[in-house]
Amino acid sequence: MTNEHLDLNELLEDVRRIKSTIKQNAYIFQSLLYSLALKLAFLIAGTTAMLVPFLYYSYIQQYGDYTAVPAKTRLSLILIIVAGTVLVSIVKFIAYFKAKRLISQPSILKIFSRLVSRQALALYPGFIATILFFVVFFITQDNNHFIVPTLAIGMGIVFSMIGSFISLPDLLFLGSYLWLTGLLSVPFINKDPLASLLWTSVIFGLGMLGFGLYLIIKYRQEKGH
């Protein structure tokens, strides 16, 4: 009985230790998600992804074809994309290095691998490869407009899975929005390929911009409490 009692206590202690580690590591991801830098990244990425495709759609509707759009206008749109990408990359690096200060491990990826089982983690490379396969397939078939729902559905499922595994309902919400709107867009894009630009604004632009604003509002409310 004594040995069994000791084994039970050791087992309970191991469970407490694992729960404590998961809670601590999940807090690191929450800190990263709620950081000012990452919220700023969502706002910049959302604004860029919402504005640029809408402008492309408007100019193509006005001039009848992309090649007919004035070169200066096309260059301006490209510069907006480049500027938005650079800014988002910078603030994401800032958010990453700030979060890295909270941990003793060499990288957040190691913490993520601890939160998610190896079996589940092994699914992601194959899943991402499948998404890339369909993207390449649609490009070779000259069906570029279907890339938008493909990426939306794929990214949405990945974010939803990550949000479920590490107990981040906010990320689960974003993922659900992406794959649901991605599915919804398919019949409209199939009917009018040019509508893929508008759906890009709605899915990625409005989604990330709204998510960034949601995080700001939620953070202020939690800080107030």
Side-chain angles (χ1 to χ4, degrees):
M1 287 295 292
T2 304
N3 291 334
E4 292 180 359
H5 183 68
L6 289 175
D7 291 339
L8 181 59
N9 287 337
E10 289 178 1
L11 178 60
L12 291 174
E13 184 62 28
D14 289 338
V15 171
R16 292 191 192 98
R17 191 180 301 111
I18 292 172
K19 289 176 66 177
S20 177
T21 302
I22 292 176
K23 185 177 180 180
Q24 181 182 359
N25 291 339
Y27 171 75
I28 293 172
F29 279 97
Q30 289 176 351
S31 300
L32 176 63
L33 187 62
Y34 295 149
S35 66
L36 178 61
L38 201 61
K39 285 184 283 190
L40 184 60
F42 276 113
L43 294 179
I44 296 173
T47 302
T48 304
M50 185 168 62
L51 180 64
V52 174
F54 177 77
L55 290 176
Y56 268 116
Y57 179 85
S58 300
Y59 286 130
I60 292 174
Q61 289 286 85
Q62 180 180 350
Y63 293 99
D65 187 71
Y66 175 74
T67 56
V69 178
K72 289 183 178 180
T73 302
R74 283 182 286 170
L75 180 61
S76 298
L77 293 175
I78 293 174
L79 290 176
I80 292 174
I81 295 174
V82 172
T85 303
V86 171
L87 286 174
V88 169
S89 299
I90 291 173
V91 294
K92 284 173 71 176
F93 274 118
I94 293 173
Y96 173 80
F97 285 113
K98 283 187 176 181
K100 192 175 180 181
R101 295 175 185 173
L102 300 174
I103 59 177
S104 57
Q105 288 84 353
S107 69
I108 293 180
L109 182 60
K110 288 190 176 182
I111 290 182
F112 181 74
S113 65
R114 290 185 180 185
L115 285 173
V116 182
S117 64
R118 292 182 180 180
Q119 293 82 358
L121 195 61
L123 294 174
Y124 288 102
F127 190 75
I128 293 174
T130 303
I131 297 172
L132 293 176
F133 168 79
F134 279 107
V135 168
V136 173
F137 174 77
F138 287 132
I139 291 175
T140 56
Q141 296 297 313
D142 199 26
N143 289 321
N144 298 347
H145 46 284
F146 285 121
I147 294 176
V148 174
T150 300
L151 290 177
I153 295 170
M155 291 173 60
I157 293 175
V158 169
F159 284 154
S160 297
M161 290 173 65
I162 294 174
S164 298
F165 282 133
I166 62 178
S167 300
L168 276 181
D170 300 324
L171 205 58
L172 176 62
F173 172 76
L174 175 62
S176 299
Y177 173 84
L178 290 176
W179 70 262
L180 281 172
T181 51
L183 284 175
L184 183 64
S185 69
V186 173
F188 297 96
I189 292 176
N190 184 48
K191 184 178 180 180
D192 179 17
L194 192 59
S196 60
L197 291 171
L198 293 179
W199 278 100
T200 301
S201 296
V202 172
I203 297 172
F204 298 106
L206 187 60
M208 288 187 289
L209 182 61
F211 188 66
L213 293 173
Y214 162 77
L215 291 179
I216 292 174
I217 295 172
K218 180 178 180 180
Y219 176 77
R220 285 183 177 177
Q221 289 177 344
E222 291 185 352
K223 190 176 181 180
H225 289 306

